[in-house]
Amino acid sequence: MKVERRTVDLSSYPDLVVIYLGMKVNAITGVKTLLGFGPKISDSAAAAPDGLLLHESIVYSLIPPHVGMRQYWRDFESLERWARSEPHLQWWKSFLRNSGGTGFWHEAYFIRGGMEAIYVDIKIPLGFSAFAPTQPARGPMFSARARRDGDEKGSAPSPVSEAKLYDSRP
């Protein structure tokens, strides 16, 4: 039997972004956090936000529980607009205050070149962080746009301000 080889024509998607995301349980309380996010993520993808071309769920491991998704976005602007809107904005703000016994990460790949990533409470290096040096996600490394562009010029303000995140006052 002959093998059928196929490819795709991505010329209609000149600004395509592929993003892998994951949530990994770090403590027993993280199981509740992880299970609580599942329906929210499913509902959000089912709402078909503008620019989301495809959403696929992924199980990275069962022990410890580590699940995620792969998403294809028409362009970074669509992804960023969704990330700065509800419900994602509230999820992110809440998660950055308390990760609920989990760790979260994403890695984004841009068809025009470049990649960027963030790892929050990920205890064992994975993805890029397993082979490349890491640094604090502060200053010019705080937002996805700044990480992608290499600086903060022209960046819209981050959905969660760095000052508020790291301000220890109540």
Side-chain angles (χ1 to χ4, degrees):
M1 189 182 327
K2 279 190 169 185
V3 173
E4 180 183 355
R5 291 184 51 180
R6 301 183 61 81
T7 190
V8 294
D9 175 1
L10 295 175
S11 61
S12 295
Y13 305 97
D15 297 311
L16 184 70
V17 177
V18 180
I19 185 167
Y20 284 80
L21 307 100
M23 183 175 270
K24 188 173 186 177
V25 171
N26 290 331
I28 195 70
T29 56
V31 173
K32 181 180 176 188
T33 302
L34 182 72
L35 293 175
F37 267 98
K40 293 176 186 180
I41 300 287
S42 294
D43 291 348
S44 178
D50 181 44
L52 178 62
L53 302 171
L54 179 65
H55 170 94
E56 300 173 316
S57 297
I58 300 171
V59 175
Y60 295 107
S61 72
L62 297 175
I63 301 172
H66 182 187
V67 299
M69 63 203 88
R70 176 176 52 218
Q71 294 181 334
Y72 298 84
W73 288 83
R74 178 181 59 238
D75 51 44
F76 183 72
E77 288 68 28
S78 298
L79 170 57
E80 186 178 49
R81 191 171 37 257
W82 180 81
R84 293 169 182 269
S85 68
E86 297 299 340
H88 181 272
L89 181 60
Q90 189 54 47
W91 298 343
W92 191 235
K93 285 180 177 179
S94 178
F95 186 83
L96 290 176
R97 283 191 297 272
N98 180 351
S99 63
T102 66
F104 172 83
W105 61 273
H106 84 236
E107 294 180 349
Y109 310 88
F110 306 95
I111 199 166
R112 291 190 183 262
M115 296 167 262
E116 70 84 19
I118 189 75
Y119 306 92
V120 180
D121 281 352
I122 294 295
K123 307 300 183 192
I124 298 171
L126 53 84
F128 296 145
S129 71
F131 62 85
T134 62
Q135 64 187 62
R138 305 285 302 262
M141 299 302 278
F142 190 72
S143 77
R145 179 173 289 276
R147 287 188 302 271
R148 182 196 71 170
D149 295 345
D151 62 31
E152 294 179 277
K153 293 177 188 159
S155 286
S158 185
V160 178
S161 85
E162 184 175 5
K164 283 185 180 179
L165 180 62
Y166 293 108
D167 186 348
S168 59
R169 293 173 287 176

